[in-house]
Amino acid sequence: LRHARSRNYVSESEVCKLESVPLDFGDYHPLKPITVTESKTKKMNRKGSTSSTSSSSSSSLMDPLSSVLDGTDPLSLFAAAADPVAPAPPTDGARRKRDKDESSAVGSDFEPWSSKRGEILARYTTTEKLSINLYMGSEKGKATTTGSAVSEKVRTRLEELDDLEEGSQKELLNLTQQDYMNRIEELNQSLKDAWSSDQKVKALKIVIQCSKLLSDTTVIQFYPSKFVLITDILDTFGKLVYERILSMCMDNRVSLPDNFSPESVNDTAKETCLNWFFKIASIRELIPRFYVEAAILKCNKFLSKTGISECLPRLTAMIRGIGDPLVAVYARAYLCRVGMEVAPQLKESLNKNFFDFLLTFKQIHGDTVQNQLVVQCVEFPLYLTLYSPAIDWILQCIAYHAPDVLLTEMMERCKKLGNNALLLNSVMSAFRAEFIAARSMDFIAMIKECDESGFPKHLLFRSLGLNLALADPPENDRLQILNEAWKVITKLKNPQDYINCAEVWVEYTCRHFTKWEVNTVLADVIKHMTPDRAFEDAYPQLQSIIQKVITYIYDFALLFSVEKFLPFLDMFQKESVRVEVCKCIMESFIKHQQESTKDPVILNALLHICKTMHDSVNALTLEDEKRMLAALINGFIKMVSFGRDFEQQLSFYVEARSMFCNLEPVLVQLIHSVNQLAMETRRVMKGNHSRKTAAFVRACVAFCFITIPSLSSIFTRLNLYLHSGQVALANQCLSQADAFFKAAVSLVPEVPKMISVDGKMRPSDAFLLEFLCNFFSTLLVVPDHPEQGVLFLVRGLLNVIQDYTWEDNSDDKVRIYTNVLHLLSAMTQEVFIYHVDKVDSNDALYGGDSKFLAEINKLSETVVSQILDHLKTLGKEETLKRQSQLALYFFNTILAHGDLRNNRLNQLAVNLWNLAQKHGFADTKTMVKTLEYIKRRSKQPEMSHFTDLALRLPLQSRT
């Protein structure tokens, strides 16, 4: 290889530019051909486009997605091919739609019972032993033959129903709570199994038996959870009965519409429905009769339009016969549940239900209840909390979309009961927050008058605070409200009671007051929670307080001026919790801090917080956790700026490096930041460094040079050496740049064959190839060292590549050598394609010296011989395809960079062309395009020799 072809980069750039065509936007717009207008009357008036009105009958502009509506998609074809009389698909579809409509009978703003279920089960637990009666089944009637008379079947069923009354049960004693819950689940499954096997009487008996359990209050503190478990079974039964009757109403395999009328229900379905109600009416005991009828309340829709509205008052009146007030209130809660599901518009019955409850509320203070509590050793305050789920639910149902007049009436009725704390708390939990907030002072007055026995006032203030976190009270009352509440809260002696209330009212304080009031509240919390290390039992509440403070005070200059904020953080002494709090603070800072900062208060505080996160990292810390912590710390580092005080900025980075040395991504960010600082210095000085700035830039370079070796990822080190060397070169630090590039060259042999990428092991060849290509691009402009030989860095890198052990099936070594030829070709030009400002590259240093060019040619011949040797090794049958691809790749390199007027080079190009298609593995399409390109270039005056070359390049068919 004598020499590369000489290039005129400026003229080549001009030739390669896209032809500029003047456009008149009045006639053309790139989006105009695909504009689709669907409206009949809507007009599109745009500059450059005519007003158009399209008709729905126009078929020329077809929506590309509309084809799925004409039955040609696979699912539609499948549905069309299905058996048209198969009942299951339409029934299931209709059922799903119906269930969705029923669940949306009330709006999404209504909190469903299902969301409360888990909380009740978790809160109301017991260590007492429980008992349960299991239905044992009956052997009677099992021998009945198919030909038995109908009267025999009826008599057998009646006897089975009587069995339950006569005690066909087994009592299980001394069950733990978990055993009890498992037994209930077994009963639920037995119900489904009995139903699916068409044993409807057995299913009813199971439901009756379960309902009876709701009259048992022997372990009273477990009653709310028992109610949840049993009503799950009742809900299942109600759904099974309803769907059974609904399936009987199908006419020609088409189910009833959602808003069907009783007239569209056939006689068979009505008779079955009445039969169920008659069976339930024959249940002797009140509680099971009430619960089972309430469970199938929805089935009244099949009988008459007014069935539900007639049943609700009767069921409400039935509850008056339940003597135990706790059992009665949960019965009322269940009636409200089914009432809201099937007839949410019938609010009058729900209101009547609650007013009945208010009339009987005084029963909880009666002798019967008090004696029961004494026997079970249950304190009265604990007993009162058992009512909360039921009363809260009843009031939620009543208050849903209720007018203020009704809510005001409720308040007045509570006052008449002597401002009972339990009721007042439920009112504040159930009513709209806006209603409560607007009458905050009225509620405070009612709370003050409450009798504190049984239900402490601080819980009432907590409920009030929860409302005020959602809605704002009148502005003139805000300070008085806070003072009244805090007077009560600050007197609490029990730290847990105190922090539960303080947590709620902190949000109110942050929302409506200044940092002074927030500081006072935080100081009070510290005062209450520090003695006896009470804070150790209140970390969730303390975390919540921090979260609320940083949610409302996201100006960190203001936040850290709150005197007690950092002392508050000191209460988090458990490392895992402390780190979580620090993460919350840093996330808020990164989210809300819009401008960079140099405020020493912010910097010192956040450095302390970041140091806390960093110090939590140990050998057991997960990689995801490390990444998250590093991202937060990096976000902070990026937001720190001292403006033109570059030395202070570098000092900050040095301090940060010493503090965060265990997190590699942070060190990488610091190196990038320091490189950016050096380039910013260059920009300010416009490339003309003074003695002071030159020394500063060298300090930045030194920072990077001593930090990079501490990183573990080898490709991170390689890329940072290259990047930092480029920065040093741009700042005229030539010896430092050489040091970076030498370090990179010496590191290449250490590159392992496999590296971890996103937790998976991958071959490193592709990454190494990419790095070396970037390195070659930089080496073009790096001037030779006066004391080293010509192209000493390129020679050193080639030696490393030669000695590197490549995979047997890899051609990356040849691809690298080919890229070296690109570099050597560029180095022979009189003027390089690009330069670094104020740095003389080899084109200026050597000035096209013949000895320099001879060295390049010598290197080129060595590289070419290496490539040709590799091509020879690919002559085996299994590697012929790789040989073809590499030959064409090398041919294109010679075509682009070589001077093909050189006979030897010209002949080498022809040989490579023939080798590429010798064994039939060539990509014919690519070969044709390449030949067309050569012929097109041959028409240029300086490329006339391409004409002869084109004649020497035959195209062979694949055969």
Side-chain angles (χ1 to χ4, degrees):
L1 180 63
R2 295 281 180 178
H3 55 270
R5 72 182 180 91
S6 37
R7 310 279 292 271
N8 185 332
Y9 293 118
V10 176
S11 62
E12 284 186 31
S13 176
E14 289 296 325
V15 170
C16 293
K17 279 184 179 176
L18 292 174
E19 183 182 1
S20 58
V21 179
L23 289 178
D24 181 359
F25 286 102
D27 298 327
Y28 171 79
H29 189 280
L31 298 182
K32 185 178 178 182
I34 60 170
T35 302
V36 179
T37 309
E38 294 181 357
S39 170
K40 289 185 178 181
T41 57
K42 184 178 177 182
K43 292 189 176 182
M44 305 283 290
N45 292 321
R46 286 188 183 177
K47 183 181 178 183
S49 65
T50 57
S51 300
S52 61
T53 306
S54 67
S55 170
S56 60
S57 61
S58 173
S59 59
S60 59
L61 295 175
M62 178 63 71
D63 177 6
L65 299 180
S66 62
S67 61
V68 301
L69 303 178
D70 60 6
T72 59
D73 65 290
L75 294 179
S76 299
L77 292 172
F78 178 75
D83 182 5
V85 299
T91 305
D92 289 347
R95 184 178 302 151
R96 279 195 297 272
K97 185 174 186 299
R98 190 176 296 107
D99 289 345
K100 182 179 177 183
D101 292 342
E102 287 163 5
S103 65
S104 59
V106 290
S108 59
D109 54 339
F110 183 81
E111 186 181 4
W113 174 259
S114 56
S115 67
K116 299 176 180 291
R117 183 182 180 280
E119 182 187 345
I120 295 172
L121 289 173
R123 181 179 175 188
Y124 297 98
T125 59
T126 182
T127 55
E128 300 285 326
K129 296 299 182 182
L130 303 160
S131 63
I132 187 172
N133 293 324
L134 280 181
Y135 169 63
M136 299 304 294
S138 172
E139 298 300 321
K140 295 182 182 179
K142 288 197 176 177
T144 305
T145 62
T146 309
S148 299
V150 175
S151 59
E152 181 66 23
K153 182 187 286 188
V154 171
R155 187 167 69 252
T156 302
R157 288 195 172 184
L158 288 173
E159 289 174 355
E160 286 181 347
L161 269 177
D162 287 339
D163 272 350
L164 188 64
E165 306 294 336
E166 294 164 6
S168 58
Q169 310 168 47
K170 177 184 177 183
E171 187 172 17
L172 297 178
L173 303 173
N174 297 323
L175 297 176
T176 65
Q177 178 181 319
Q178 188 57 50
D179 291 338
Y180 188 90
M181 294 171 73
N182 293 340
R183 295 295 182 183
I184 295 293
E185 182 55 39
E186 287 174 16
L187 283 173
N188 200 355
Q189 189 58 46
S190 298
L191 167 65
K192 295 175 184 175
D193 294 343
W195 191 272
S196 60
S197 59
D198 206 29
Q199 298 181 55
K200 303 296 188 293
V201 172
K202 181 180 177 182
L204 178 60
K205 294 170 92 169
I206 291 171
V207 175
I208 294 171
Q209 175 192 346
C210 290
S211 303
K212 283 187 174 184
L213 295 174
L214 290 174
S215 62
D216 175 23
T217 56
T218 49
V219 185
I220 202 164
Q221 62 267 38
F222 185 64
Y223 191 84
S225 292
K226 183 198 288 188
F227 171 80
V228 168
L229 298 169
I230 300 299
T231 52
D232 283 350
I233 296 178
L234 289 165
D235 293 341
T236 301
F237 176 72
K239 188 175 181 182
L240 290 172
V241 173
Y242 183 82
E243 290 179 355
R244 162 72 175 153
I245 299 172
L246 188 66
S247 66
M248 299 172 72
C249 300
M250 292 180 63
D251 185 20
N252 294 325
R253 304 295 181 183
V254 178
S255 61
L256 288 176
D258 297 323
N259 54 346
F260 67 87
S261 63
E263 290 76 19
S264 58
V265 179
N266 59 47
D267 292 341
T268 307
K270 283 185 177 180
E271 184 180 350
T272 304
C273 185
L274 278 170
N275 187 29
W276 276 109
F277 280 110
F278 291 153
K279 284 178 181 176
I280 292 166
S282 67
I283 299 173
R284 297 172 190 171
E285 294 184 31
L286 172 61
I287 289 177
R289 186 167 73 249
F290 164 80
Y291 272 108
V292 180
E293 182 173 355
I296 67 165
L297 180 66
K298 189 177 179 181
C299 295
N300 280 283
K301 290 170 63 177
F302 297 109
L303 300 177
S304 70
K305 290 182 178 179
T306 58
I308 294 175
S309 58
E310 291 169 358
C311 279
L312 278 173
R314 180 172 56 78
L315 291 170
T316 300
M318 282 173 66
I319 300 174
R320 295 174 185 170
I322 301 175
D324 190 311
L326 183 65
V327 176
V329 77
Y330 276 94
R332 296 184 191 282
Y334 187 67
L335 188 59
C336 285
R337 256 184 68 190
V338 294
M340 286 298 285
E341 287 174 10
V342 302
Q345 72 280 5
L346 299 176
K347 280 293 191 67
E348 196 59 41
S349 296
L350 302 182
N351 297 346
K352 179 66 175 170
N353 190 8
F354 182 67
F355 293 148
D356 273 5
F357 164 70
L358 292 181
L359 291 173
T360 58
F361 187 70
K362 58 188 177 184
Q363 283 181 301
I364 65 172
H365 298 286
D367 292 340
T368 307
V369 171
Q370 299 299 327
N371 293 337
Q372 186 182 20
L373 297 183
V374 170
V375 170
Q376 296 197 32
C377 301
V378 174
E379 298 291 331
F380 190 67
L382 174 61
Y383 175 71
L384 282 182
T385 62
L386 302 178
Y387 284 81
S388 294
I391 299 176
D392 288 352
W393 177 258
I394 295 170
L395 283 170
Q396 179 186 323
C397 295
I398 293 172
Y400 182 66
H401 289 177
D404 283 2
V405 177
L406 176 63
L407 303 183
T408 307
E409 182 186 352
M410 294 286 183
M411 281 180 63
E412 293 303 318
R413 294 211 176 207
C414 287
K415 283 182 182 178
K416 288 179 182 177
L417 283 172
N419 286 339
N420 182 276
L422 174 65
L423 281 178
L424 191 55
N425 188 65
S426 293
V427 164
M428 288 191 289
S429 299
F431 285 14
R432 293 193 307 274
E434 295 79 10
F435 177 87
I436 304 294
R439 297 162 179 78
S440 298
M441 292 308 298
D442 293 340
F443 276 97
I444 286 177
M446 292 170 68
I447 292 171
K448 284 181 174 179
E449 294 172 10
C450 274
D451 178 14
E452 212 168 344
S453 64
F455 204 95
K457 285 184 182 179
H458 70 266
L459 292 181
L460 297 175
F461 274 108
R462 185 178 189 279
S463 297
L464 179 60
L466 288 170
N467 281 284
L468 296 181
L470 300 173
D472 298 335
E475 192 168 348
N476 296 334
D477 295 339
R478 289 174 184 173
L479 184 58
Q480 188 180 354
I481 291 169
L482 180 61
N483 287 334
E484 292 289 348
W486 210 261
K487 276 180 197 173
V488 175
I489 295 169
T490 196
K491 289 177 184 176
L492 294 173
K493 303 297 182 189
N494 184 311
Q496 205 60 41
D497 291 342
Y498 171 84
I499 197 63
N500 286 335
C501 289
E503 173 202 355
V504 172
W505 282 89
V506 162
E507 182 168 4
Y508 175 77
T509 310
C510 294
R511 194 177 166 116
H512 298 298
F513 299 99
T514 65
K515 69 172 188 176
W516 306 109
E517 287 82 1
V518 174
N519 191 60
T520 303
V521 169
L522 293 182
D524 195 57
V525 174
I526 294 170
K527 175 184 169 186
H528 278 79
M529 301 308 293
T530 304
D532 301 324
R533 299 178 68 85
F535 54 77
E536 292 182 343
D537 298 321
Y539 283 138
Q541 294 91 333
L542 295 174
Q543 277 182 270
S544 175
I545 289 174
I546 286 288
Q547 189 66 57
K548 287 167 182 172
V549 170
I550 61 178
T551 298
Y552 289 97
I553 308 179
Y554 43 78
D555 178 351
F556 275 71
L558 180 63
L559 178 65
F560 290 125
S561 67
V562 176
E563 183 184 347
K564 294 297 181 181
F565 182 74
L566 290 177
F568 190 93
L569 288 182
D570 291 337
M571 287 196 291
F572 295 98
Q573 296 190 7
K574 184 179 179 182
E575 186 182 61
S576 59
V577 180
R578 190 180 183 86
V579 170
E580 285 301 316
V581 171
C582 291
K583 282 159 66 175
C584 286
I585 295 171
M586 292 311 302
E587 285 168 0
S588 177
F589 176 79
I590 292 168
K591 179 180 178 181
H592 294 109
Q593 188 73 19
Q594 301 297 325
E595 299 177 354
S596 55
T597 181
K598 61 178 180 179
D599 186 325
V601 175
I602 294 178
L603 295 189
N604 288 331
L606 291 184
L607 272 175
H608 172 69
I609 288 169
C610 288
K611 177 69 172 167
T612 300
M613 295 193 300
H614 169 270
D615 291 347
S616 70
V617 174
N618 55 44
L620 300 178
T621 306
L622 297 175
E623 287 300 319
D624 283 347
E625 178 72 7
K626 288 182 184 177
R627 269 195 293 272
M628 181 185 294
L629 295 177
L632 293 173
I633 296 173
N634 286 343
F636 163 60
I637 289 171
K638 290 175 187 175
M639 294 305 298
V640 176
S641 173
F642 290 89
R644 286 291 184 90
D645 191 349
F646 293 159
E647 291 184 353
Q648 183 66 31
Q649 188 83 31
L650 182 58
S651 298
F652 169 77
Y653 292 143
V654 171
E655 183 183 1
R657 180 179 62 184
S658 67
M659 295 177 74
F660 309 127
C661 55
N662 288 335
L663 287 172
E664 191 162 305
V666 178
L667 295 179
V668 173
Q669 177 60 46
L670 288 170
I671 293 168
H672 284 308
S673 297
V674 171
N675 279 329
Q676 188 176 356
L677 185 61
M679 294 305 291
E680 181 67 13
T681 307
R682 178 181 182 275
R683 187 188 65 78
V684 170
M685 299 302 294
K686 298 180 180 177
N688 299 309
H689 283 299
S690 65
R691 182 177 298 176
K692 183 178 180 182
T693 59
F696 174 76
V697 167
R698 284 196 294 273
C700 291
V701 170
F703 175 99
C704 297
F705 193 75
I706 64 175
T707 307
I708 293 173
S710 64
L711 304 176
S712 61
S713 170
I714 192 160
F715 278 103
T716 302
R717 276 186 280 160
L718 282 171
N719 286 311
L720 285 175
Y721 274 134
L722 178 58
H723 183 215
S724 301
Q726 292 166 345
V727 170
L729 197 63
N731 284 282
Q732 300 116 52
C733 302
L734 300 185
S735 60
Q736 286 85 353
D738 278 350
F740 278 115
F741 297 141
K742 284 179 183 176
V745 170
S746 63
L747 194 58
V748 169
E750 298 178 22
V751 174
K753 296 290 174 290
M754 304 291 287
I755 58 171
S756 177
V757 179
D758 296 331
K760 297 181 180 179
M761 299 306 292
R762 307 280 189 197
S764 62
D765 291 359
F767 297 94
L768 183 57
L769 176 62
E770 180 186 2
F771 165 75
L772 290 173
C773 290
N774 290 336
F775 199 0
F776 294 145
S777 300
T778 303
L779 289 179
L780 174 64
V781 293
V782 177
D784 280 345
H785 196 284
E787 296 178 5
Q788 307 284 344
V790 176
L791 303 179
F792 75 101
L793 281 173
V794 177
R795 290 177 188 277
L797 190 53
L798 282 174
N799 290 334
V800 167
I801 294 169
Q802 176 66 27
D803 296 337
Y804 188 80
T805 307
W806 300 89
E807 294 289 338
D808 292 337
N809 60 347
S810 170
D811 297 320
D812 287 332
K813 184 177 180 179
V814 172
R815 296 183 188 279
I816 291 170
Y817 279 148
T818 310
N819 280 289
V820 172
L821 289 178
H822 300 170
L823 169 64
L824 294 175
S825 169
M827 282 183 165
T828 63
Q829 306 305 317
E830 288 185 17
V831 180
F832 290 173
I833 188 171
Y834 49 81
H835 294 85
V836 176
D837 189 32
K838 297 186 173 55
V839 173
D840 289 333
S841 297
N842 285 339
D843 58 342
L845 293 180
Y846 292 107
D849 184 77
S850 58
K851 291 182 180 179
F852 175 65
L853 294 177
E855 286 291 333
I856 293 176
N857 284 333
K858 194 187 218 179
L859 260 181
S860 300
E861 287 180 1
T862 305
V863 172
V864 169
S865 66
Q866 291 282 343
I867 295 173
L868 294 177
D869 287 345
H870 185 79
L871 283 172
K872 288 177 185 175
T873 64
L874 299 178
K876 299 175 185 176
E877 187 175 348
E878 63 270 15
T879 55
L880 290 176
K881 185 173 183 180
R882 284 167 54 198
Q883 185 188 59
S884 172
Q885 292 171 342
L886 281 180
L888 184 59
Y889 182 63
F890 188 24
F891 171 84
N892 285 327
T893 294
I894 294 175
L895 191 65
H897 298 281
D899 185 355
L900 289 172
R901 287 172 296 193
N902 181 293
N903 290 333
R904 286 179 60 200
L905 197 57
N906 195 299
Q907 184 59 47
L908 176 60
V910 172
N911 291 343
L912 289 169
W913 177 270
N914 292 330
L915 180 62
Q917 51 186 349
K918 181 177 179 181
H919 299 287
F921 288 104
D923 183 347
T924 307
K925 190 174 181 182
T926 303
M927 304 287 279
V928 169
K929 286 187 175 180
T930 304
L931 192 56
E932 288 174 356
Y933 165 78
I934 294 171
K935 291 176 180 177
R936 193 165 57 250
R937 289 293 303 275
S938 68
K939 295 176 183 177
Q940 298 174 9
E942 68 277 13
M943 293 292 176
S944 57
H945 57 283
F946 271 32
T947 305
D948 293 333
L949 177 65
L951 295 174
R952 299 177 64 195
L953 301 179
L955 275 175
Q956 297 178 7
S957 66
R958 293 181 68 88
T959 56

